[in-house]
Every structure is written in structure tokens, then in C-alpha cells.
């Protein structure tokens, strides 16, 4: 009896905790709590959004529009759908990594059921014109999904104002725990579940909830939006200081992505005549942690699909270094980084010749 009572109380508390987290997420992106579905990660949210919409609407049409620079969570999902008979248009991006609204509108066909364009790119930081994409989607009565995994905590997202129907996020990208994500689906938008089992998450995502993760995600998103302006202003100033310092002190470099329209903490710069892996190795020796083409593709020697889509020369793509600034960084860190970077690049270039 005591055990049973305990169980009921815990069940009730758990439900309350999950609901509270759902409300916190909803507040951050301006939607209703019941429009939020918790998942295990950003990739799962992307899968659930895109497959869920495609399977539900396959009678209406089988055409999806996305871009060439999406995260594998979206790209590989689209490739799987292609093998299942769906048709996918992968939009080009310009040299700054931005899609063309004109090309997007031209790609729309009678059988288009979904547009999936990421809010901000994880490698080059470029932010897409989400509100304008939302307008186009609405005008043509097509559903719009955006992978906002990089944007949450760095860019203000308003799903109502931006006409977004589905939005993916992942807690560990905004200082929350790993192994938990969320998907927003606008009320009234029907989608198929992709995982069968119990009736959790209003029967859309079977499996016992990751309570600790969900509560952590809720706390993290609340914190991220508490000091939003100050935090992101600081990141922008660190990022711009780093970029100008590198351009001033190191010859033959090229900024990848848009100079202004980019994620506050992201700086991706190519160093001609050096290899990313060598740079990363030497920086690591100095206690500096950065990444090359893509964090998810370490060990993969070919230049990233994102950098290649920008049309930059392969020799520049191979020397790309992505630096991400965060909560704990300050101006001294940037000075230390630039000082070491200029020495390392100088030495590596000398070895090459
Ligand atoms: C990290 C990332 C993902 C994947 O998120 P996980 O939680 O690691 O699955 C998806 N999209 C973008 C843009 C990302 O940066």
C-alpha cells in the first residue's frame, strides 16, 4: 500500500515536472506547451519531423525541398526518404551559405509537401531568412520545418511570427544535458509517429520519458533566455574581435560564411596552405579546443559538404578552422588563441615550402 501510494505520488510529480519543462520550452519559442514533444536528441527531432510529415502526407504529394548544407540529421533522413520513393530538391547556397528565396519559390511544385531549411548552420554559422521562408511556405500552403538546433539560445525564435510548423532543438547545444531534445509541431498539423510502443508524448513518441533530461532541458532553455541579450552581445564581440585579429595578423585567410548574418559564437576561417587536422592537433597541445570542417565528421578527411557547397577552393576548404565561443570565454582567450594560431600557421606554412 505504501509502495503503491509512493508510486502514485511520484507519477504525479513526474507528470508535473515534465509539464513544467514543456511550458518553459513553449515560452522560449512562443508556442503552446501541448505543441512540444520531447525526444532523445536533435537528430531524432529531425527524423520525426520530416518522416512524420512525409508519411502522413504521402497521398497529397511526395516532394520535399531542403538545402545542400543541412545537418546529417536532415540530409540523411531525406536520402532515406528518396530510397522510399520521395523526391527531394536540395537547394544551392551562395558563397556566404545563404539559400536563394527565388530558387526556393521556383522549386515548389504541385506535389511539394514540406520545406525543411535549417535556421543556422552548425559549421559556418550562416543564418537563413527564416521569416521569409515561412511566408513563402504559407503562401503556397506547404508545411515548414526548421532545424533550430544551433539557434536555440543564440537567436530569438518565434514560431508564430515566423510561420514555422515544425522546429527541432537539442538540449546539449544550449548547455543542457546530452540525450534529450524536443520537437515543436504546430497544433493541427498531423504527423505520423516513427517509433511504436506505448502512448507517451500524446502517442507520438513511444518510450518511457527521460525525466532528468527533460527537466534539465527545461532549466537550460529558461536560463538561456534569461540573459539572452547580454550573453549573445558578448559572444558577438568576441567573435568579431577574433575575426578581425586573425585577418590583421595572419595573411591568406578567408572567413567562411556571412560576416554579419551568422551565429553569435561561430567563427569559421580557412588558412591557406595548412590542413585543419594539423591545426587542431597543434592547438590542442596549447589547450585550445576547436574543430575542423564539422564536429560530427572528425576522422573524415574530405572537406565538409557545407564548405564544398559554398564553392570555395578545395585547398581553402581543407584548411578550415571552426572556433565556437561560449559562456566561459573572454578577450584574453581570444588573444591567447590568435597568438598561438599565428605562430602555428607560420610554422606549418614554412614546413610546406
Ligand atoms: C548538433 C546538431 C544536430 C543533432 O543534434 P543531436 O542532439 O546531436 O542529435 C542537428 N542539427 C544541427 C544543426 C546540429 O548542430
Amino acid at each position: 500500500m505504501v509502495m503503491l501510494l509512493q508510486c502514485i505520488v511520484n507519477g504525479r510529480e513526474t507528470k508535473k515536472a515534465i509539464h513544467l519543462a514543456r511550458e518553459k520550452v513553449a515560452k522560449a519559442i512562443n508556442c503552446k506547451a501541448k505543441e512540444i514533444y520531447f525526444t532523445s536528441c536533435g537528430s531524432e527531432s529531425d527524423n520525426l519531423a520530416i518522416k512524420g510529415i512525409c508519411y502522413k502526407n504521402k497521398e497529397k504529394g511526395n516532394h520535399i525541398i531542403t538545402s545542400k548544407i543541412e545537418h546529417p540529421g536532415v540530409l540523411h533522413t531525406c536520402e532515406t526518404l528518396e530510397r522510399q520513393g520521395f523526391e527531394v530538391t536540395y537547394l544551392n547556397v551562395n558563397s556566404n551559405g545563404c539559400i536563394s528565396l527565388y530558387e526556393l519559390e521556383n522549386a515548389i511544385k504541385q506535389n511539394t509537401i514540406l520545406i525543411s531549411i535549417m535556421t543556422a548552420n552548425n559549421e559556418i554559422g550562416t543564418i537563413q531568412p527564416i521569416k521569409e521562408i515561412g511566408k513563402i511556405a504559407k503562401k503556397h500552403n506547404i508545411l515548414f520545418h526548421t532545424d533550430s538546433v544551433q539557434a536555440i539560445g543564440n537567436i530569438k525564435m518565434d514560431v508564430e511570427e515566423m510561420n514555422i510548423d515544425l522546429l527541432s532543438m537539442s538540449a546539449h547545444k544550449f548547455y543542457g544535458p546530452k540525450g534529450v531534445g524536443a520537437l515543436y509541431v504546430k497544433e493541427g498539423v498531423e504527423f505520423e509517429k516513427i517509433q511504436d510502443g506505448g502512448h507517451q508524448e500524446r502517442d507520438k513518441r513511444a518510450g518511457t520519458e527521460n525525466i532528468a533530461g527533460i527537466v534539465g532541458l527545461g532549466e537550460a532553455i529558461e536560463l538561456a533566455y534569461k540573459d539572452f541579450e547580454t550573453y549573445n552581445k558578448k559572444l558577438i564581440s568576441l567573435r568579431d574581435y577574433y575575426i578581425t585579429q586573425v585577418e590583421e595578423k595572419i595573411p591568406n585567410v578567408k572567413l567562411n560564411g556571412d560576416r554579419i548574418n551568422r551565429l553569435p559564437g561561430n567563427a569559421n576561417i580557412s588558412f591557406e596552405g595548412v590542413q585543419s587536422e594539423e591545426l587542431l592537433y597543434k592547438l590542442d597541445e596549447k589547450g585550445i579546443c576547436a574543430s575542423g570542417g564539422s564536429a560530427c565528421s572528425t576522422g573524415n578527411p574530405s572537406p565538409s559538404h557545407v564548405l564544398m557547397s559554398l564553392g570555395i577552393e578545395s585547398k581553402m576548404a581543407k584548411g578550415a578552422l571552426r572556433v565556437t565561443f561560449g559562456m566561459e570565454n573572454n578577450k584574453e582567450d581570444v588573444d591567447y588563441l590568435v597568438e598561438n594560431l599565428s605562430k602555428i600557421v607560420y610554422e606549418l606554412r614554412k614546413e610546406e615550402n
Side-chain angles (χ1 to χ4, degrees):
M1 185 58 202
V2 175
M3 282 279 284
L4 185 61
L5 196 61
Q6 186 79 33
C7 192
I8 292 169
V9 170
N10 281 345
R12 202 178 293 150
E13 278 184 3
T14 303
K15 238 180 159 171
K16 217 165 100 188
I18 294 178
H19 182 70
L20 202 59
R22 223 185 285 285
E23 283 188 327
K24 288 177 181 179
V25 177
K27 191 172 167 217
I29 63 168
N30 190 26
C31 72
K32 300 181 195 118
K34 63 178 174 190
E35 294 173 315
I36 297 298
Y37 300 85
F38 289 115
T39 64
S40 68
C41 60
S43 303
E44 189 194 328
S45 297
D46 286 341
N47 271 265
L48 181 57
I50 299 171
K51 288 175 182 162
I53 290 300
C54 285
Y55 297 157
K56 190 79 197 177
N57 293 286
K58 60 178 188 283
E59 306 302 330
K60 274 192 214 151
N62 69 339
H63 180 231
I64 313 158
I65 301 171
T66 185
S67 84
K68 286 188 177 160
I69 62 164
E70 297 296 312
H71 185 274
V74 168
L75 274 186
H76 294 171
T77 299
C78 287
E79 287 162 14
T80 295
L81 287 165
E82 277 185 289
R83 288 192 292 273
Q84 296 171 353
F86 287 89
E87 188 195 329
V88 184
T89 299
Y90 299 91
L91 298 176
N92 292 305
V93 292
N94 66 15
S95 58
N96 286 348
C98 199
I99 66 148
S100 143
L101 294 170
Y102 176 76
E103 196 186 331
L104 167 67
E105 200 152 15
N106 265 337
I108 295 173
K109 304 193 290 185
Q110 207 64 43
N111 60 341
T112 308
I113 48 176
L114 178 69
I115 295 170
S116 178
I117 302 287
M118 71 201 314
T119 310
N121 186 271
N122 46 308
E123 292 184 40
I124 54 169
T126 302
I127 300 167
Q128 302 296 341
I130 294 303
K131 199 174 166 182
E132 285 71 26
I133 298 171
K135 260 187 209 152
I136 292 174
K138 192 176 182 181
K139 180 174 139 196
H140 293 269
N141 203 17
I142 296 166
L143 294 170
F144 174 37
H145 165 249
T146 186
D147 174 339
S148 286
V149 174
Q150 287 287 328
I152 297 299
N154 294 118
I155 299 169
K156 281 252 163 83
M157 297 305 292
D158 183 325
V159 291
E160 186 130 351
E161 190 199 310
M162 295 171 158
N163 276 314
I164 297 166
D165 297 299
L166 303 101
L167 178 149
S168 304
M169 67 175 78
S170 177
H172 72 105
K173 300 286 173 75
F174 49 88
Y175 295 99
K178 285 185 176 154
V180 60
L183 175 68
Y184 150 80
V185 184
K186 192 189 178 100
E187 193 176 13
V189 170
E190 290 187 28
F191 65 105
E192 206 107 305
K193 59 183 166 185
I194 57 171
Q195 179 160 303
D196 292 306
H199 303 295
Q200 290 87 357
E201 297 298 293
R202 277 144 295 136
D203 205 20
K204 289 300 188 190
R205 202 272 181 183
T208 301
E209 304 89 342
N210 171 5
I211 315 286
I214 290 170
V215 170
L217 186 151
E219 288 298 307
I221 205 162
E222 187 172 51
L223 283 174
Y225 285 87
K226 209 173 242 168
D227 276 326
F228 187 90
E229 306 290 346
T230 341
Y231 172 58
N232 284 293
K233 254 190 205 144
K234 178 190 124 173
L235 290 188
I236 289 173
S237 84
L238 286 178
R239 175 198 78 190
D240 290 345
Y241 176 59
Y242 166 73
I243 293 172
T244 47
Q245 284 291 298
V246 168
E247 288 177 331
E248 226 168 77
K249 299 199 163 135
I250 309 176
N252 301 319
V253 300
K254 187 191 175 302
L255 177 69
N256 298 314
D258 198 283
R259 194 169 291 266
I260 295 151
N261 227 354
R262 72 187 301 133
L263 282 170
N266 173 295
N268 187 318
I269 298 178
S270 279
F271 298 84
E272 191 181 340
V274 302
Q275 307 284 321
S276 309
E277 302 82 70
E278 296 175 318
L279 263 182
L280 291 176
Y281 183 79
K282 299 271 184 197
L283 285 172
D284 187 55
E285 285 180 338
K286 299 288 176 192
I288 299 165
C289 183
S291 84
S294 158
C296 308
S297 318
T298 31
N300 183 351
S302 58
S304 85
H305 69 287
V306 176
L307 292 172
M308 293 318 285
S309 297
L310 301 181
I312 66 174
E313 290 173 275
S314 146
K315 68 169 183 194
M316 286 307 262
K318 279 180 185 156
L321 182 76
R322 175 175 63 155
V323 174
T324 314
F325 299 104
M327 202 131 52
E328 279 155 24
N329 293 124
N330 53 37
K331 192 164 170 283
E332 286 69 49
D333 293 336
V334 179
D335 290 330
Y336 178 75
L337 167 61
V338 175
E339 186 192 317
N340 281 288
L341 202 50
S342 52
K343 275 188 217 154
I344 293 167
V345 170
Y346 179 80
E347 290 298 326
L348 287 174
R349 281 176 177 168
K350 212 164 69 180
E351 279 171 32
E352 280 290 312
N353 292 321

